[in-house]
Amino acid sequence: MVPTLQERAGHALAVLHRARAGGERFVGAFLPGASARRMQAAALADEWSAANLEARHDSGRLWVVLGDGASLGLGASTREMSFVPLVAEALAADGTAWRVVNLAADGAGIDDVLARQLPELAELTADDPADLVTCIVGAADVRSRPRANEARLRALLAALPEGAVVATLPPVGSTRSSAALNASVRKEAARRGLRVADVWDPSPRRGRWYGASYQPNDVGHARWAAAVLGAARGDAADRDASGAATG
């Protein structure tokens, strides 16, 4: 089949995004600390922009990713070692074709998902619903204002489509307040037909905080992949999508 003009334009734009990502990764390798992180985030955003353009024209079941920089792959040694590609690979292991559109953004919080990403999801799925929606967000919110999030979380959970996978929130501040917030998330998710992935682990071997931003490392991303895959499949127990040890 001859590509349409729109498909050819999308392919050309995807090539440009990948070329820019390569340059950002190259420059980032020579920069210190925070500057290197910003270049990594920019490169990941460009790589996903390229992949999103292609996914919109591909066939197969649709997975739409919502969230912050961790869902882009920040913290992983490569994009392929981050949890979204790991889960996508596991989902396709039975021969089912999947395409991923990743709407996550570095620095995004609950309000960003509500104001920007959910409208994009609605536009993307106006004709056909997504087969899977995941939303991992809130680390920056609870880090910056741990006592002011329950109402905003309720609004987010109410706006997600039935069957979407949402994540627990990190243990920040008092253990009691974190546990209460996650109990509220689980209760509201059950009421609305959402699935919960328990992605958080306090072990420093699985990731670290950069200000209000949390980045899992390769071990942490494998753990997140196990939790998200288990929730997406409705498993009672987490399974490691990468085959790597989760301990």
Side-chain angles (χ1 to χ4, degrees):
M1 181 181 295
V2 178
T4 65
L5 182 60
Q6 185 179 15
E7 289 171 339
R8 290 199 298 270
H11 175 72
L13 188 55
V15 170
L16 289 174
H17 276 296
R18 288 199 171 94
R20 187 165 66 180
E24 289 159 344
R25 287 194 180 279
F26 178 79
V27 172
F30 297 94
L31 296 175
S35 297
R37 182 194 174 282
R38 283 195 295 270
M39 294 305 289
Q40 183 197 21
L44 284 166
D46 273 318
E47 288 169 352
W48 275 115
S49 292
N52 290 347
L53 285 166
E54 294 168 346
R56 288 170 185 265
H57 297 291
D58 286 343
S59 59
R61 304 186 74 184
L62 175 63
W63 171 17
V64 182
V65 179
L66 311 175
D68 58 22
S71 290
L72 290 177
L74 278 172
S77 56
T78 65
R79 187 171 74 101
E80 290 70 26
M81 290 298 293
S82 62
F83 83 89
V84 172
L86 292 176
V87 173
E89 182 180 358
L91 289 173
D94 64 357
T96 303
W98 281 85
R99 54 199 177 101
V100 180
V101 174
N102 194 333
L103 303 179
D106 183 32
I110 295 170
D111 291 340
D112 298 292
V113 174
L114 284 167
R116 296 182 179 87
Q117 296 178 27
L118 281 169
E120 288 186 69
L121 170 66
E123 181 181 355
L124 182 64
T125 58
D127 295 326
D128 294 298
D131 298 280
L132 174 63
V133 174
T134 58
C135 181
I136 301 181
V137 73
D141 299 274
V142 298
R143 184 82 164 184
S144 60
R145 41 181 177 176
R147 298 182 183 276
N149 294 293
E150 186 160 355
R152 292 155 63 242
L153 273 170
R154 287 179 181 276
L156 174 62
L157 298 177
L160 290 169
E162 185 176 355
V165 173
V166 297
T168 52
L169 295 160
V172 175
S174 72
T175 303
R176 181 177 296 178
S177 61
S178 295
L181 198 57
N182 279 326
S184 179
V185 168
R186 292 181 185 280
K187 181 179 179 180
E188 192 70 10
R191 189 169 76 87
R192 297 189 176 279
L194 308 176
R195 300 175 180 183
V196 178
D198 189 5
V199 301
W200 291 100
D201 187 304
S203 171
R205 295 182 297 118
R206 295 182 175 176
R208 60 174 294 187
W209 289 92
Y210 292 83
S213 173
Y214 181 82
Q215 295 181 16
N217 56 24
D218 284 356
V219 176
H221 273 285
R223 172 67 181 85
W224 285 32
V228 170
L229 182 64
R233 288 177 167 170
D235 295 346
D238 290 344
R239 285 186 285 187
D240 188 349
S242 69
T246 59

